[in-house]
Amino acid sequence: MFRLAFIGFGTVGQGLAELLLKKEEVLRDRFGFEWRAVAISDMLKGSVYDPDGLDLAQLLETVQRTGRVDEYPAPTKGWDSLQTIRDTNANAIVEVTYTDVQTGEPALTHCRTAFEAGKHVVTTNKGPVVLAYRELVELAAAHGVQFRFEGTVMSGTPALRLAQNDLAGAVIHGFRGILNGTTNYILTQMEAGQSYAEALRQAQALGYAEAVPDADVEGWDAAGKVVILANVLLGADLRVSDVEREGITGITPEAVAAAGADGERWKLIGSGRWEGDRFVARVQPERLPLADPLAGVGGPINAVTFDTDTLGGVTLVGPGAGRTATGYALLGDLLDIHRH
Ligand code: HSE
């Protein structure tokens, strides 16, 4: 039985909560997967703890109606994130705080604290994985618990698990992908004649964009995902500053139209591969012919092609952002811990 503590209860945490409720019976009947939410601690919305379990449906309703977690009638309230991680009877921490991707905080401290307390962590926060993947995996292993972060790349589309589990018998030499939903959405809308500013505004309204738009449009978000793919799947040891990076802000409506007239499309491509002993990692706009499998991937959809020794290219296409898709990443992570 998973006893879950949610650290952060914004869009992604609520997305997971909705899925847990919707799929409760199926998960129990098909996989023997059982869960109870015992604590929620959110910096802005307050915190609640009940060792016997919270009514998650009532909690969701309370948050959506009042904007607060602590309007829910729980026996214990007001614990901060660290006390919630350490002192509740949770055995798995859902780490979905608003985190600074450059420092990785507060998610990084939450992960370390959870492992030291012998608790699994599932997260969609890129910061801790980008900055401290090896340290965190080792710390989790030393305490006999698991660290899962599928949602850091392509949200609920299982890019990491596909590579780690199903391509385990192949060698992955490199990858190439559309790793940022916001910029792909903007480029697709610009092809349809919308302005850059309006398309960005829509991407924000639809919940794809990062809080600071530069993170998307200047390629920082995609660069973080390149680092994660490179370090987790290809044994590299990169930092974000090792990724050559160019965003989409230089792509004008005229450039979009010119590519279209030549039967091509602009895509923001994140890539990485070993070249001898050197790992080459890039994020840059590329003009792709329509025959390229990545050219047909439009809107907020993401895609990645793994270049393998045995199968050649293996391409995965699916959602890369959004409430339910990212909530699903966490559900997949919990299920993966349960099954293994
Ligand atoms: N802002 C990100 C994107 C969210 O647009 O892809 C998912 O990491």
Side-chain angles (χ1 to χ4, degrees):
M1 159 86 70
F2 279 101
R3 292 185 305 279
L4 305 173
F6 288 72
I7 307 301
F9 203 59
T11 308
V12 176
Q14 291 178 40
L16 171 64
E18 286 159 3
L19 285 172
L20 284 168
L21 290 167
K22 189 170 158 194
K23 293 177 180 284
E24 189 165 8
E25 265 182 49
V26 172
L27 291 169
R28 190 181 47 237
D29 296 348
R30 281 177 65 187
F31 306 111
F33 176 98
E34 294 192 285
W35 61 270
R36 186 178 291 169
V38 294
I40 298 185
S41 179
D42 184 285
M43 226 163 71
L44 300 173
K45 301 184 182 83
S47 84
V48 288
Y49 171 45
D50 185 339
D52 297 327
L54 305 159
D55 180 334
L56 200 50
Q58 191 186 336
L59 248 162
L60 272 171
E61 187 278 322
T62 305
V63 169
Q64 285 160 14
R65 183 169 44 82
T66 68
R68 301 229 30 114
V69 165
D70 52 10
E71 289 287 322
Y72 175 95
T76 303
K77 296 188 184 185
W79 285 14
D80 68 13
S81 57
L82 293 179
Q83 189 173 11
T84 301
I85 293 169
R86 281 196 201 108
D87 298 341
T88 60
N89 67 348
N91 56 10
I93 304 300
V94 179
E95 208 297 331
V96 283
T97 55
Y98 175 73
T99 281
D100 178 341
V101 76
Q102 275 165 31
T103 63
E105 294 297 357
L108 191 48
T109 300
H110 292 158
C111 291
R112 289 185 180 124
T113 306
F115 297 144
E116 279 158 5
K119 302 183 180 192
H120 304 298
V121 173
V122 297
T123 188
T124 55
N125 264 317
K126 287 175 277 284
V129 190
V130 168
L131 294 166
Y133 163 64
R134 290 207 165 76
E135 176 212 315
L136 293 174
V137 166
E138 281 165 20
L139 192 61
H143 289 86
V145 290
Q146 305 287 320
F147 180 37
R148 291 287 195 285
F149 44 84
E150 181 64 66
T152 58
V153 181
M154 290 176 71
S155 70
T157 306
L160 299 176
R161 255 198 304 282
L162 172 80
Q164 285 182 312
N165 296 343
D166 301 310
L167 296 178
V171 176
I172 301 175
H173 294 304
F175 61 86
R176 221 171 134 255
I178 295 171
L179 301 174
N180 180 265
T182 299
T183 47
N184 205 45
Y185 180 82
I186 293 173
L187 292 173
T188 306
Q189 293 300 99
M190 284 174 77
E191 281 163 15
Q194 199 170 47
S195 73
Y196 169 89
E198 177 57 17
L200 174 58
R201 201 192 58 73
Q202 276 189 4
Q204 287 169 322
L206 289 163
Y208 307 139
E210 300 295 311
V212 183
D214 277 10
D216 294 302
V217 299
E218 300 292 358
W220 293 107
D221 174 75
K225 291 165 179 168
V226 165
V227 168
I228 294 172
L229 290 169
N231 292 356
V232 174
L233 303 179
L234 279 89
D237 192 15
L238 303 186
R239 286 169 299 180
V240 170
S241 56
D242 297 319
V243 181
E244 284 177 45
R245 183 189 47 79
E246 183 188 339
I248 63 160
T249 49
I251 300 185
T252 59
E254 292 73 28
V256 170
D262 292 346
E264 294 191 340
R265 283 197 176 122
W266 283 102
K267 293 290 175 194
L268 186 67
I269 300 296
S271 64
R273 61 180 306 108
W274 284 106
E275 288 184 4
D277 288 346
R278 198 167 88 90
F279 196 91
V280 180
R282 282 195 190 101
V283 172
Q284 64 182 20
E286 293 182 19
R287 253 178 80 153
L288 305 183
L290 295 186
D292 188 311
L294 298 182
V297 176
I301 302 300
N302 282 191
V304 66
T305 300
F306 293 112
D307 173 25
T308 75
D309 64 339
T310 316
L311 301 171
V314 176
T315 299
L316 178 68
V317 180
R323 179 188 184 101
T324 303
T326 312
Y328 180 79
L330 296 161
L331 177 59
D333 282 341
L334 290 168
L335 202 49
D336 194 48
I337 294 173
H338 170 70
R339 297 173 84 188
H340 294 103

